[in-house]
Amino acid sequence: MIVPEVPAARLGRGSVVARRVRFLAGADRSPRRNQYLAALLALIAGTLNSVGFVAVSVYTSHMTGLTASVADHLVLGSLSLVWVGLEAIGAFVLGAMACALLFNWGRRCGLQGRYANVLVVEALLILAFGALADRLVWAHRDHVFVAVLCFTMGLQNAIITKISAAQIRTTHVTGMITDIGIELGKLAYRSRRAGEPPVRADLGKLGMLAALVGLFFVGGMLGAAGYLAIGFPILVAPALVLLLVASPPLLADLHLRRAS
């Protein structure tokens, strides 16, 4: 069921924010909701990526670099680093698979929380990791850190891909910067042939991409600085924010189930 929008002028500022948070992860999507959710996820992805690098020297969202790293270290004979790279890639793939399973189950069941289910799993993983990672004293705990962070990144990249029909990524900065370059090229292009249709840049897309890259960058700074200051507990705050955003659709599903 689609809930009709209430004009912003009739709502207080706090009510507008509350309404946006309420429907941010719901089944009823719009380009604006997708952009707001992508902005939040880009910030969280940047944070997780930097925490992973500072903690274990692995960029856990950078599958291109990890794939190249596996090839390089295989040739160089650094088998321990090959296994780390394979573990990271495998965990990322498993995260994307888990997203597809959860999403398609929720879609077939007609759940409002078909997207939110995935975000809740991500939030709970980040929350548990942030609260407990510093207590893990196993000699090979770095492998656990890499696996959890890469699985989380796979979940997140897959769900925003589903939500936006593959139009938005929040962990794939290479693609976003490429698209920024394309739009800037369109903006700079001046046709000298009369009668040809003009080449127009999509300024809205350009602004959105620049904002996502900027938020990923800010998240990276927050993650690195936060980890150096307090360690893994820096991840508790973004996990709680993600839970707040994902909870309303799940609560709506529970309410409908009890009412039926």
Side-chain angles (χ1 to χ4, degrees):
M1 181 179 68
I2 299 178
V3 180
E5 295 282 354
V6 178
R10 294 171 54 189
L11 296 170
R13 190 177 188 86
S15 298
V16 172
V17 173
R19 182 177 177 80
R20 285 177 179 171
V21 169
R22 181 182 175 190
F23 293 104
L24 202 56
D28 302 318
R29 308 305 306 166
S30 70
R32 178 156 292 190
R33 286 178 186 170
N34 291 346
Q35 290 170 16
Y36 286 147
L37 184 59
L40 174 63
L41 293 180
L43 184 68
I44 291 174
T47 303
L48 287 170
N49 198 48
S50 286
V51 168
F53 179 75
V54 177
V56 293
S57 300
V58 174
Y59 283 124
T60 53
S61 70
H62 188 33
M63 292 301 108
T64 304
L66 284 168
T67 302
S69 175
V70 170
D72 293 341
H73 290 303
L74 189 60
V75 172
L76 295 171
S78 303
L79 295 183
S80 61
L81 295 176
V82 169
W83 287 119
V84 170
L86 291 175
E87 174 191 2
I89 295 167
F92 191 97
V93 170
L94 287 174
M97 288 174 60
C99 169
L101 289 169
L102 279 171
F103 169 77
N104 285 296
W105 170 77
R107 181 173 59 85
R108 290 292 178 91
C109 293
L111 299 180
Q112 283 291 310
R114 66 192 69 168
Y115 302 112
N117 288 332
V118 179
L119 296 178
V120 165
V121 171
E122 179 184 352
L124 292 176
L125 275 173
I126 298 172
L127 184 62
F129 185 76
L132 301 175
D134 278 332
R135 301 183 183 182
L136 184 61
V137 295
W138 185 42
H140 303 290
R141 68 177 195 162
D142 287 2
H143 291 279
V144 177
F145 297 165
V146 169
V148 172
L149 290 171
C150 286
F151 183 89
T152 304
M153 288 291 91
L155 272 175
Q156 176 170 313
N157 206 40
I159 195 58
I160 198 64
T161 300
K162 284 286 187 183
I163 287 172
S164 68
Q167 296 301 306
I168 302 174
R169 298 288 198 276
T170 57
T171 66
H172 185 47
V173 176
T174 301
M176 289 190 283
I177 291 179
T178 301
D179 289 342
I180 287 172
I182 290 171
E183 296 305 326
L184 287 174
K186 291 179 182 178
L187 190 63
Y189 183 80
R190 294 294 179 268
S191 178
R192 297 182 180 180
R193 292 187 178 184
E196 291 289 337
V199 175
R200 300 187 185 278
D202 187 337
L203 297 181
K205 180 179 180 181
L206 180 59
M208 178 196 70
L209 291 169
L212 292 179
V213 172
L215 286 166
F216 188 94
F217 178 81
V218 171
M221 292 181 63
L222 293 173
Y227 179 80
L228 292 174
I230 63 173
F232 288 109
I234 189 60
L235 296 177
V236 170
L240 292 176
V241 171
L242 200 53
L243 273 178
L244 176 66
V245 166
S247 295
L250 269 65
L251 294 174
D253 286 333
L254 287 174
H255 178 73
L256 288 174
R257 187 169 184 177
R258 290 175 181 175
S260 61

